[in-house]
Amino acid sequence: DAGVIQSPRHEVTEMGQEVTLRCKPISGHDYLFWYRQTMMRGLELLIYFNNNVPIDDSGMPEDRFSAKMPNASFSTLKIQPSEPRDSAVYFCASSYRVETQYFGPGTRLLVL
Amino acid sequence: GENVEQHPSTLSVQEGDSAVIKCTYSDSASNYFPWYKQELGKGPQLIIDIRSNVGEKKDQRIAVTLNKTAKHFSLHITETQPEDSAVYFCAASIFNDMRFGAGTRLTVKP
């Protein structure tokens, strides 16, 4: 298996622009997670899905962030409008049933 | 909610020496404890995990121990090699609510 795939790997945008991050989980996995990693706050869980349904979005920082999973092989994390404080590395992870999560390579986002 | 503390934040050892990283957790309901290794520019990679009904687990040069009573768990790496240099994260999980430690930057000097 190719593992979790994320795109783009790097994104540079200007404040106020919309940003869309994409994730393809490992085939057969029924859980999908979005994390954000910063030096100040470490790894934070933003939201996770089970069988394409959002289960817990309590980690989503504010209404500017939204996530969708239209099918079992694709998810998006959208930031609109983006702000400089959103600059971070965003990871997608997937798992089969519970517990063991496999991470993608991440998207490094820089908002100017 | 769960709070995971990890120590030390940085660790430097000579090649061939052992390295130990320690974590504590706050929620006694946590039942799954994975360790991840993150190399520069990459995502965290699972290296070993342990569940709450097991006290110790070993995989070649790495081992993890869990003390449920004290609510702490540790990663042990023996015979360290330069390629072990990376940031290591511990985590504690209740179902899918996984909380990570702040990470330990391990440097193995050749």
Side-chain angles (χ1 to χ4, degrees):
Chain A
D1 199 311
V4 176
I5 298 172
Q6 291 187 246
S7 65
R9 293 295 312 278
H10 299 90
E11 177 79 28
V12 180
T13 190
E14 292 188 346
M15 181 174 64
Q17 297 298 306
E18 177 180 296
V19 175
T20 300
L21 312 181
R22 297 173 175 80
C23 175
K24 176 179 169 53
I26 293 172
S27 178
H29 282 191
D30 53 353
Y31 284 86
L32 183 138
F33 308 81
W34 283 101
Y35 289 88
R36 178 172 67 177
Q37 185 177 41
T38 61
M39 289 295 293
M40 291 297 295
R41 300 175 67 89
L43 268 165
E44 301 175 280
L45 176 65
L46 300 178
I47 185 171
Y48 77 89
F49 296 82
N50 175 223
N51 291 323
N52 314 336
V53 177
I55 301 301
D56 184 354
D57 66 354
S58 59
M60 296 286 262
E62 44 196 280
D63 292 345
R64 297 185 297 106
F65 286 69
S66 62
K68 294 182 180 180
M69 192 165 186
N71 58 63
S73 59
F74 184 67
S75 177
T76 60
L77 178 67
K78 186 175 293 187
I79 308 172
Q80 166 64 16
S82 58
E83 296 183 2
R85 59 191 168 125
D86 301 330
S87 297
V89 182
Y90 291 82
F91 289 104
C92 176
S94 70
S95 71
Y96 174 63
R97 294 184 179 174
V98 297
E99 298 173 344
T100 306
Q101 298 181 21
Y102 297 90
F103 284 74
T107 294
R108 187 173 297 274
L109 173 65
L110 178 60
V111 182
L112 302 174
Chain B
E2 176 65 275
N3 182 46
V4 179
E5 294 191 357
Q6 183 172 347
H7 300 279
S9 57
T10 61
L11 179 60
S12 181
V13 299
Q14 288 294 136
E15 182 177 0
D17 288 350
S18 295
V20 180
I21 303 170
K22 298 181 179 182
C23 290
T24 60
Y25 60 100
S26 60
D27 194 333
S28 57
S30 291
N31 56 8
Y32 175 65
F33 307 89
W35 286 87
Y36 287 86
K37 175 183 181 182
Q38 186 175 22
E39 296 175 319
L40 193 63
K42 297 184 178 180
Q45 299 297 308
L46 180 72
I47 56 171
I48 195 167
D49 57 12
I50 192 168
R51 288 173 170 76
S52 58
N53 59 345
V54 177
E56 184 173 355
K57 184 176 179 180
K58 188 174 182 180
D59 183 4
Q60 299 182 337
R61 295 186 298 108
I62 59 174
V64 58
T65 59
L66 171 65
N67 184 327
K68 287 174 55 181
T69 303
K71 288 189 282 189
H72 66 70
F73 55 114
S74 301
L75 177 71
H76 304 251
I77 306 174
T78 59
E79 301 172 20
T80 54
Q81 302 167 3
E83 51 265 38
D84 294 329
S85 296
V87 178
Y88 291 81
F89 292 95
C90 63
S93 177
I94 307 170
F95 296 104
N96 282 308
D97 186 3
M98 187 173 293
R99 304 300 173 99
F100 288 83
T104 296
R105 183 174 298 279
L106 173 65
T107 302
V108 180
K109 300 176 184 176

